[in-house]
Amino acid sequence: MAYDKLLTPDAGHACGASILRHFSQFAFGNEATKCWSRCEYKLRYPHPQTGIEQWPDLLVAIPSRENAELVAIMDDFALPSRRAGDKIANLKTYYDLARKEFRSAEVRVIVVTNTRDLARLKGSCGALDQGPPANDYRDWWRPLPLGTVDDQVNKALSDHAPDAAVARLCFLVTLIVDLKVVAWLLIACPHNSHQRRLGAQKHIANTMFNWLCSQWLFFEPSKPLL
């Protein structure tokens, strides 16, 4: 997930702190202007039963990791879901472990989904509102449709005139780094490594996201994507 780049005001996307303000207002009800974020964040504590390390897609700490007051854990829930039970269990585990790691912060799980039909989403993941942690924290999670992310970006672009040259350079550098990582994952790692394939898939997705951003966000609308 490359959403962390949009949340970072100085990442070269020319949207300033608008995306972060929209996101923090959505997630916690107040606007932030600075944060710390990390894709594929390794939570400090492993799964309490299995001992397996836990890696949510994205962690956002506001205003910083060291002095976190608000912490958002982001992970996806796509519909239709064939493993809804496993995904729901993972989201609950992420929440519990994040609260354990960031004891003084308010923690919320943001569930990124491919539908705006929230009734349909809650029909598939209704167990999120049953049992712990919902018994004690009814508002422990919130759905974030991809369409809402698109709305946030469009609003940010209307607030900021993008510097196309700077933005283009930043994303080209990111693309080069991502492509090098993909090459390393595909060539240097063992041929039968599941982690190699998983890592390559994530970085390929990240690379495509960055390319689309460099084309869509920062080029004149009259220019074709290809």
Side-chain angles (χ1 to χ4, degrees):
M1 179 183 286
Y3 191 57
D4 62 322
K5 292 181 175 61
L6 296 177
L7 292 171
T8 305
D10 58 354
H13 48 64
C15 291
S18 292
I19 299 294
L20 175 58
R21 288 199 299 267
H22 292 312
F23 172 77
S24 57
Q25 178 66 40
F26 169 84
F28 298 104
N30 53 54
E31 295 185 353
T33 57
K34 59 185 299 187
C35 73
W36 179 93
S37 63
R38 178 67 55 84
C39 282
E40 299 300 322
Y41 179 79
K42 177 185 174 183
L43 292 167
R44 178 182 301 173
Y45 301 100
H47 193 286
Q49 278 78 48
T50 66
I52 297 175
E53 296 174 347
Q54 300 298 295
W55 297 78
D57 286 345
L58 177 67
L59 183 138
V60 183
I62 299 172
S64 67
R65 181 185 180 189
E66 294 75 18
N67 300 295
E69 299 174 1
L70 306 171
V71 171
I73 295 283
M74 296 184 69
D75 213 280
D76 65 279
F77 193 104
L79 295 179
S81 177
R82 291 177 294 179
R83 302 183 62 183
D86 292 340
K87 175 61 72 172
I88 289 168
N90 287 343
L91 294 172
K92 291 186 174 186
T93 299
Y94 294 158
Y95 178 80
D96 291 339
L97 296 181
R99 290 192 69 239
K100 185 177 179 181
E101 180 172 345
F102 300 94
R103 296 181 183 275
S104 60
E106 178 183 354
V107 176
R108 183 153 290 131
V109 172
I110 305 300
V111 180
V112 181
T113 180
N114 58 341
T115 179
R116 287 184 185 264
D117 187 347
L118 299 186
R120 180 186 174 211
L121 174 67
K122 292 198 173 186
S124 298
C125 59
L128 290 174
D129 294 322
Q130 301 171 5
N135 289 345
D136 299 315
Y137 306 97
R138 297 300 301 174
D139 198 27
W140 72 276
W141 75 282
R142 289 185 181 176
L144 177 60
L146 289 173
T148 300
V149 177
D150 183 57
D151 294 341
Q152 292 174 352
V153 172
N154 288 331
K155 179 62 169 62
L157 288 176
S158 69
D159 294 339
H160 296 269
D163 183 340
V166 175
R168 196 176 306 146
L169 176 61
C170 290
F171 276 97
L172 283 175
V173 171
T174 305
L175 280 172
I176 292 171
V177 173
D178 285 338
L179 288 171
K180 285 184 177 180
V181 172
V182 170
W184 181 84
L185 287 166
L186 292 175
I187 297 172
C189 294
H191 179 69
N192 61 349
S193 171
H194 172 72
Q195 194 65 30
R196 169 188 64 84
R197 295 194 301 272
L198 181 62
Q201 290 170 0
K202 288 182 179 293
H203 279 281
I204 288 172
N206 190 55
T207 299
M208 292 302 298
F209 179 90
N210 287 328
W211 180 83
L212 288 172
C213 279
S214 67
Q215 295 289 319
W216 174 53
L217 294 180
F218 311 115
F219 283 65
E220 293 82 351
S222 59
K223 291 188 176 181
L225 291 181
L226 297 176

